[in-house]
Amino acid sequence: MYEGPVQDLIDELGALPGVGPKSAQRIAFHLLATDAADINRLITALQQVAKGVRFCEICGNVAADTTCRICGDARRDPLLVCVVEEPKDVLAIERTREFKGRYHVLGGALDPLSGVGPDQLRIKELLGRIGRDEITEVIIATDPNTEGEATATYLVRMLRDFPGLSVTRLASGLPMGGDLEFADELTLGRAFTGRRAV
Ligand code: ZN
């Protein structure tokens, strides 16, 4: 145990996901040796997040404005929408460079035991988009785990009745039980190009 503010900092850092006690200590001492200007940028970033983060009104992705960069990009194909669970999944798919359409972020996956039903996810918003905009294909890219599968099955049922809409899912080959973000770019890219109609 260190005394005072240093230990407070280590405790706070150690409470973050993926940061063990040793990493927390290393980061804390790194910060102690950092310029005041760099520390202030970190403080500002934390304060901005604490004030609240904005989400795109169209797709639900993290945004700096009312809509995100992808929804505002006229070069992106508005006919294709890829449905993912979290904003981090958008990043994972963007890294593959296989997808030139737009996204829809659900904000999680169906998990009845934790009280997450269809109303807790942005499913109504998705159905609204499909009814309103010209969308020809919805690609379901939920995580390859139990909750992600349940969510995909539910979405397929909800999307079946839209005339002329093709619904596809990523090809198998992604490591089961994990998160989309843990798949390497090549595997995820292949799953994307090999997507199949459901
Ligand atoms: Zn957006």
Side-chain angles (χ1 to χ4, degrees), residues 168-192:
T168 57
R169 289 203 58 189
L170 299 190
S172 49
L174 295 173
M176 264 310 280
D179 264 21
L180 209 60
E181 57 162 336
F182 296 143
D184 65 90
E185 282 152 47
L186 201 66
T187 309
L188 187 53
R190 277 205 201 110
F192 223 93

Side-chain angles (χ1 to χ4, degrees), residues 56 59 68 71:
C56 175
C59 74
C68 74
C71 287

Side-chain angles (χ1 to χ4, degrees), residues 127-191:
L127 301 179
R129 273 180 86 179
I130 296 166
R132 192 177 57 241
D133 304 340
E134 255 185 85
I135 293 170
T136 57
E137 181 182 353
V138 170
I139 301 149
I140 301 174
T142 49
D143 284 345
N145 56 32
T146 315
E147 292 80 17
E149 288 296 315
T151 310
T153 306
Y154 180 83
L155 287 176
V156 169
R157 211 166 353 120
M158 300 300 286
L159 297 172
R160 238 185 333 225
D161 299 329
F162 284 92
L165 179 72
S166 103
V167 181
T168 57
R169 289 203 58 189
L170 299 190
S172 49
L174 295 173
M176 264 310 280
D179 264 21
L180 209 60
E181 57 162 336
F182 296 143
D184 65 90
E185 282 152 47
L186 201 66
T187 309
L188 187 53
R190 277 205 201 110

Side-chain angles (χ1 to χ4, degrees), residues 55-63 66-72 102-105 129:
F55 294 95
C56 175
E57 283 175 357
I58 300 169
C59 74
N61 193 11
V62 177
T66 50
T67 56
C68 74
R69 188 178 46 78
I70 295 172
C71 287
R102 295 184 176 164
Y103 292 92
H104 192 86
V105 180
R129 273 180 86 179

